[in-house]
Amino acid sequence: MTLPPTRSTSRAIVSLLLAIVLAWAPPLAAQDQPGVPSDTILSDTTLQILLPRPVPAVTVKDTQDDGGGSITVTWEASADDGDGGIINRYVIYRATSAEGPFEEVGDATNNATTFSDGSAEDDVAYFYRVVPMTLALAGQPVPPALVEGAMVAGPVSSSAQWLDWRRINVLVGVLLLCVFIIYYINQAKAGKSLFIRKIAGLEAVDEAVGRATEMGKKIYYIPGTQDMDNVQTIAGVTILGRVAELAAQYETYLQVPVSRSLVLVTAREIVKEAYSKAGRPDAFQEDQVHYLTDDQFGYAAGIDGMVVREKPATIFFMGAFYAESLILAETGNSIGAIQIAGTGMPSQLPFFVAACDYTLIGEELFAASAYLSREPKLLGSLKGQDMGKAVILIAIVVGLVLETFGIWSFSRLFSVIQ
């Protein structure tokens, strides 16, 4: 006869079965825990690193309005990104095949959803992957599982566009300026009088040359210390033609010491042509235009020595000058010469203003050739540029009023980067 088990015996059997189940059951998975990302990896037996959830969508396209060599990658943020999220950054991978191998081409911070790959080659098809990285993975190699599990987007290739629509306002401005210049050149060619503001330094050229003639002394013309590739030197030698023509007419000796070989050749031809234009080719002497040295302060010292010894009545400083400007101008001032200077170097202008009788400031130097020669193309270009500046000034005033009173965001018309 078999007796039924007692209550204590049943409890012992249930406890034994529960212990066996707990011993053989797997540990609780991370994805079963509320609020924990779906994937996990174990870096060792004690540390568990949570992997972020991947980005749900990735799109790639050729970067618009550029010169090529760039692809824009856009993605939707991972569900683990945002305030309080675990995303540290996004790593962008690129390959020439959908199967890989993928290589890292850059990264973006958390909360970012776009990346511009500026290292792409035009007409080459690329595939991209965007891999989110967590704070726990910061400073560590990217787990291969993350790269292999990321969505592949592509193919896409870059190419250059003919027109950058973001800078269409610049094109409109250039076309408007060209219209002004062409219009005034035609007006000048037709013989119509164009008003140009008087420039005191250029008005005084005749007076300065005449003074040297009356005193029976030389005129010194210094075209700066730079070579012919400098626009200020070009402007300087252009003015030299007018001064040389006056000197030939007044039979006054003009001396032009230069510091560059190309300037020597150019200035000599200009002076020679000016003497011929004045009807005095016989008065031209080759050594009127001579070379001193390429050395900046050696050139300044050489001119100072000649100025102190020969005491010219008039000195012109027209071109690019640096630290030697005050040395030259102060030496000329000490002998009582009338001095006319012109340069586009802002840092040297105060020295010329302090030590010279007249100073052409900035763009006045470049306008001098048109002012002196009255040649229709130069005069029309100068007048057209002045009209362009007038339009800009009017736009500034209008924009100031509209922006100040909050009527309209006028400055958007002049934005070139969107």
Side-chain angles (χ1 to χ4, degrees):
M1 179 177 183
T2 304
L3 297 177
T6 63
R7 180 172 297 180
S8 59
T9 303
S10 300
R11 288 179 180 178
I13 293 172
V14 171
S15 299
L16 178 60
L17 293 174
L18 182 61
I20 294 173
V21 169
L22 291 177
W24 287 95
L28 185 62
Q31 57 266 31
D32 297 330
Q33 301 176 27
V36 176
S38 57
D39 299 317
T40 61
I41 63 171
L42 294 176
S43 60
D44 54 39
T45 56
T46 58
L47 178 62
Q48 187 178 53
I49 299 177
L50 303 179
L51 294 185
R53 282 168 283 194
V55 296
V58 180
T59 57
V60 290
K61 64 178 181 179
D62 178 25
T63 303
Q64 297 298 306
D65 302 325
D66 69 347
S70 177
I71 291 175
T72 300
V73 183
T74 307
W75 62 89
E76 293 183 16
S78 167
D80 295 322
D81 199 358
D83 295 338
I86 62 173
I87 298 299
N88 171 254
R89 62 190 176 110
Y90 292 94
V91 183
I92 293 82
Y93 288 84
R94 186 184 69 189
T96 54
S97 169
E99 291 74 26
F102 284 85
E103 62 177 3
E104 181 179 341
V105 292
D107 59 4
T109 62
N110 61 328
N111 296 321
T113 57
T114 184
F115 172 80
S116 180
D117 179 13
S119 60
E121 294 183 15
D122 288 349
D123 301 323
V124 176
Y126 291 107
F127 297 84
Y128 286 85
R129 278 175 169 168
V130 179
V131 177
M133 294 285 289
T134 65
L135 293 168
L137 290 171
Q140 299 184 29
V142 181
L146 280 181
V147 181
E148 295 168 357
M151 177 183 296
V152 178
V156 62
S157 60
S158 65
S159 61
Q161 281 73 52
W162 285 98
L163 185 63
D164 187 350
W165 289 98
R166 298 171 302 177
R167 292 175 171 79
I168 194 67
N169 50 1
V170 177
L171 177 62
V172 172
V174 171
L175 292 177
L176 184 63
L177 183 60
C178 291
V179 169
F180 283 139
I181 291 175
I182 293 173
Y183 172 76
Y184 283 108
I185 287 177
N186 290 331
Q187 292 287 303
K189 286 183 176 178
K192 294 187 177 180
S193 177
L194 300 180
F195 172 76
I196 302 294
R197 176 178 62 86
K198 288 187 177 181
I199 301 175
L202 298 179
E203 291 288 322
V205 170
D206 288 7
E207 174 193 347
V209 176
R211 183 188 180 206
T213 305
E214 292 173 358
M215 296 178 68
K217 293 185 176 181
K218 289 182 177 181
I219 299 171
Y220 269 58
Y221 193 98
I222 317 299
T225 57
Q226 299 302 299
D227 215 330
M228 288 306 301
D229 60 348
N230 189 297
V231 67
Q232 297 178 66
T233 306
I234 296 174
V237 296
T238 303
I239 300 172
L240 171 62
R242 172 62 177 169
V243 174
E245 188 176 347
L246 286 174
Q249 291 174 355
Y250 295 163
E251 299 182 359
T252 305
Y253 191 82
L254 172 66
Q255 188 164 340
V256 186
V258 302
S259 64
R260 307 284 176 172
S261 56
L262 285 179
V263 178
L264 170 67
V265 175
T266 307
R268 184 170 286 169
E269 289 301 317
I270 287 177
V271 173
K272 186 177 181 179
E273 182 183 350
Y275 272 68
S276 299
K277 190 176 180 181
R280 294 300 310 277
D282 57 305
F284 173 71
Q285 301 175 26
E286 291 281 342
D287 58 357
Q288 281 185 255
V289 184
H290 58 93
Y291 171 80
L292 283 181
T293 174
D294 279 27
D295 183 74
Q296 178 188 11
F297 291 105
Y299 179 64
I303 293 174
D304 282 351
M306 292 189 297
V307 167
V308 170
R309 289 191 301 272
E310 300 178 357
K311 293 184 172 47
T314 302
I315 303 176
F316 291 92
F317 301 104
M318 297 289 179
F321 293 88
Y322 290 89
E324 74 282 356
S325 61
L326 184 59
I327 300 172
L328 295 170
E330 192 61 31
T331 303
N333 183 276
S334 68
I335 65 166
I338 182 172
Q339 299 188 108
I340 301 177
T343 185
M345 308 297 289
S347 59
Q348 305 306 319
L349 282 172
F351 303 131
F352 281 139
V353 171
C356 296
D357 298 278
Y358 300 96
T359 302
L360 305 181
I361 299 175
E363 64 177 8
E364 290 182 346
L365 172 66
F366 308 113
S369 56
Y371 190 91
L372 293 174
S373 67
R374 295 285 169 175
E375 203 277 328
K377 290 182 180 177
L378 296 177
L379 205 57
S381 299
L382 179 62
K383 187 68 177 179
Q385 292 175 44
D386 285 346
M387 290 303 298
K389 294 171 187 172
V391 171
I392 293 174
L393 286 176
I394 293 172
I396 291 175
V397 173
V398 172
L400 182 64
V401 173
L402 294 178
E403 296 276 359
T404 301
F405 293 99
I407 299 173
W408 188 52
S409 180
F410 189 73
S411 59
R412 290 187 303 173
L413 295 178
F414 300 90
S415 175
V416 294
I417 301 177
Q418 297 177 350

